[in-house]
Amino acid sequence: MIKVHNFCAGPCLLPDEVYKGAADAVLDFNGSGLSILSISHRSKEFIAVLEEAQYLALSLLGLEGKGYSALFLQGGASMEFLRVPYNLMQTRAGYIDTGNWSSKAITQAEAFGQVEVLASSKDRKYVYIPEDIVIPSGLDYVHYTSNNTIYGTQFNDVPKADCPIVCDMSSDIYSRVYDCDKIDLIYAGAQKNIGPAGLSVVLVKDSILGKSGRMIPQMMDYAEHIDKGSLYHTANVFAIYTSLLNLRWLQHLGGVEAIEKINIQKAATLYRAIDELDYVVGLADVAYRSRMNVTFDFKEETMKSVFDTLCMEANITNIKGHRVAGGYRASLYNALKQESVDALVEVLHTMKSKI
Ligand SMILES: *Cc1c(COP(=O)(O)O)cnc(C)c1O
């Protein structure tokens, strides 16, 4: 296999041992003679997988034993844009608009009640995180996006409010030490830092549910999914198993404390190059730079083709910016190695002699 440095923003790369474990299980799951693709989601073997995944999903964030349930559902993060207001909105919710994904969540919530946009960084194309956000009392919940995958910005803290806090943590979950227990509902599309696409992970404090006053269709109802242990219907068995392998990998590494140190190092390496080289510009405000998605561009349009060619030669792939943001984006998710960042930095330096 050729060595490719994959900076894809999602689906993300996963550790080699996770790929290997998942591939082995397709052929023979745990020596059972059966493929993971063909076992029952109600078999005791899969229930054990699900329970361990639920346990790790909570304990890695320090949420085990604190009244949270862990759900593994289908539909991705976009389905949670809808499930959150379905379950939590009575009349009025607050949303912080820090990018494309936040705006999509807002649009979905508007179908269920009154949405107050508490702050927005749209005025400067989402390159920063609003400060000193005033959150009125009496809201049903406040929703924010901890890491803005497309624009490369990240919240440093959890906003404070006197109502439940909901966070779309799709692209920075399990990447850093964070006050997760100040958040009442965390959701994430699995494909950014957890596992394969087609799955969402929801960590919800049970006590915030059951207050919407509306009839919730069962597929949309968190309480129903909790009651059925994420087995209301056929679970995404393969994606859950692969996610479990990845959560185990993270735990063996030393959990989020350990990966945070590595992630700080990777991001620092790349941002240093961006700041040092006068032909490269970082797109996000320095105070809010994301450690997961690093957005940058070049001063001159002509430099882009030089960079693209050098990337190709160095086996660097998936580095184009999102179509709504332009420029370039290097996603440094947990499984991306320092050597990949080093390869990218080398390309950025090599450009000096080619432009
Ligand atoms: C990718 C992403 C989403 C959308 O996830 P899907 O699983 O594709 O629905 C939502 N929010 C954030 C922050 C994301 O990065």
Side-chain angles (χ1 to χ4, degrees):
M1 231 162 80
I2 54 160
K3 175 85 203 152
V4 176
H5 302 290
N6 186 2
F7 289 91
C8 191
C12 66
L13 80 170
L14 294 166
D16 290 338
E17 61 198 84
V18 172
Y19 292 137
K20 172 87 174 47
D24 287 348
V26 168
L27 296 175
D28 183 3
F29 173 57
N30 279 353
S32 63
L34 299 171
S35 168
I36 186 78
L37 301 179
S38 311
I39 63 167
S40 165
H41 58 295
R42 301 195 188 279
S43 63
K44 72 174 192 318
E45 290 78 10
F46 182 67
I47 301 288
V49 165
L50 190 54
E51 284 176 353
E52 188 186 345
Q54 285 164 330
Y55 172 78
L56 284 177
L58 289 171
S59 64
L60 282 164
L61 297 181
L63 298 178
E64 180 62 22
K66 294 189 180 170
Y68 289 81
S69 294
L71 297 171
F72 287 81
L73 305 177
Q74 298 188 34
S78 300
M79 186 67 98
E80 308 316 325
F81 294 164
L82 182 64
R83 281 194 186 113
V84 163
Y86 234 132
N87 284 266
L88 302 182
M89 175 91 81
Q90 295 168 54
T91 49
R92 199 161 66 102
Y95 276 69
I96 301 172
D97 172 29
T98 52
N100 210 42
W101 297 119
S102 307
S103 334
K104 283 198 165 157
I106 289 169
T107 311
Q108 297 304 295
E110 279 166 344
F112 295 88
Q114 188 188 333
V115 173
E116 280 189 34
V117 179
L118 305 171
S120 172
S121 49
K122 194 172 182 181
D123 58 337
R124 286 181 46 227
K125 292 198 178 140
Y126 297 121
V127 293
Y128 70 105
I129 300 289
E131 290 281 355
D132 302 321
I133 303 167
V134 179
I135 299 182
S137 59
L139 295 173
D140 298 330
Y141 63 93
V142 167
H143 177 286
Y144 77 110
T145 313
S146 55
N147 184 72
N148 298 284
T149 327
I150 296 174
Y151 305 92
T153 63
Q154 191 168 26
F155 274 79
N156 296 311
D157 305 301
V158 178
K160 287 185 188 65
D162 65 358
C163 61
I165 305 261
V166 177
C167 183
D168 175 357
M169 271 174 73
S170 291
S171 51
D172 67 351
I173 194 165
Y174 303 116
S175 72
R176 62 168 168 172
V177 177
Y178 197 59
D179 285 333
C180 291
D181 57 358
K182 292 190 180 148
I183 307 170
D184 301 275
L185 190 156
I186 292 169
Y187 66 87
Q191 74 276 18
K192 307 282 167 64
N193 228 351
I194 302 174
L199 188 69
S200 57
V201 174
V202 179
L203 311 173
V204 56
K205 214 172 220 178
D206 298 0
S207 59
I208 68 167
L209 299 175
K211 297 178 181 164
S212 75
R214 72 167 56 79
M215 204 294 280
I216 307 173
Q218 289 180 330
M219 270 292 279
M220 291 292 126
D221 188 356
Y222 289 131
E224 178 71 20
H225 287 292
I226 292 170
D227 185 50
K228 299 291 186 313
S230 292
L231 292 174
Y232 168 76
H233 67 138
T234 313
N236 188 338
V237 171
F238 182 61
I240 293 171
Y241 181 67
T242 307
S243 299
L244 170 62
L245 295 178
N246 193 38
L247 293 174
R248 276 185 192 156
W249 169 83
L250 180 57
Q251 191 180 41
H252 290 157
L253 197 76
V256 291
E257 287 85 1
I259 200 73
E260 179 180 55
K261 289 202 183 82
I262 296 168
N263 288 335
I264 287 174
Q265 182 65 37
K266 288 186 295 186
T269 307
L270 184 51
Y271 283 121
R272 196 180 314 120
I274 289 171
D275 291 338
E276 271 172 17
L277 299 168
D278 57 8
Y279 46 88
V280 190
V281 274
L283 297 180
D285 282 7
V286 174
Y288 311 105
R289 280 176 166 176
S290 165
R291 286 185 201 142
M292 291 288 102
N293 310 98
V294 177
T295 50
F296 61 96
D297 209 345
F298 296 98
K299 286 237 168 82
E300 309 288 341
E301 199 58 32
T302 52
M303 294 173 182
K304 294 187 178 182
S305 58
V306 177
F307 179 67
D308 293 345
T309 307
L310 288 173
C311 281
M312 214 152 68
E313 287 167 9
N315 285 326
I316 289 172
T317 190
N318 286 319
I319 193 135
K320 270 252 175 313
H322 189 278
R323 60 187 185 281
V324 307
Y328 291 89
R329 169 176 55 173
S331 296
L332 315 181
Y333 295 125
N334 286 353
L336 186 92
K337 296 194 177 111
Q338 177 73 36
E339 64 187 67
S340 292
V341 181
D342 294 342
L344 174 57
V345 165
E346 198 183 316
V347 161
L348 289 171
H349 278 279
T350 307
M351 286 181 69
K352 213 179 296 182
S353 61
K354 311 245 175 192
I355 54 178

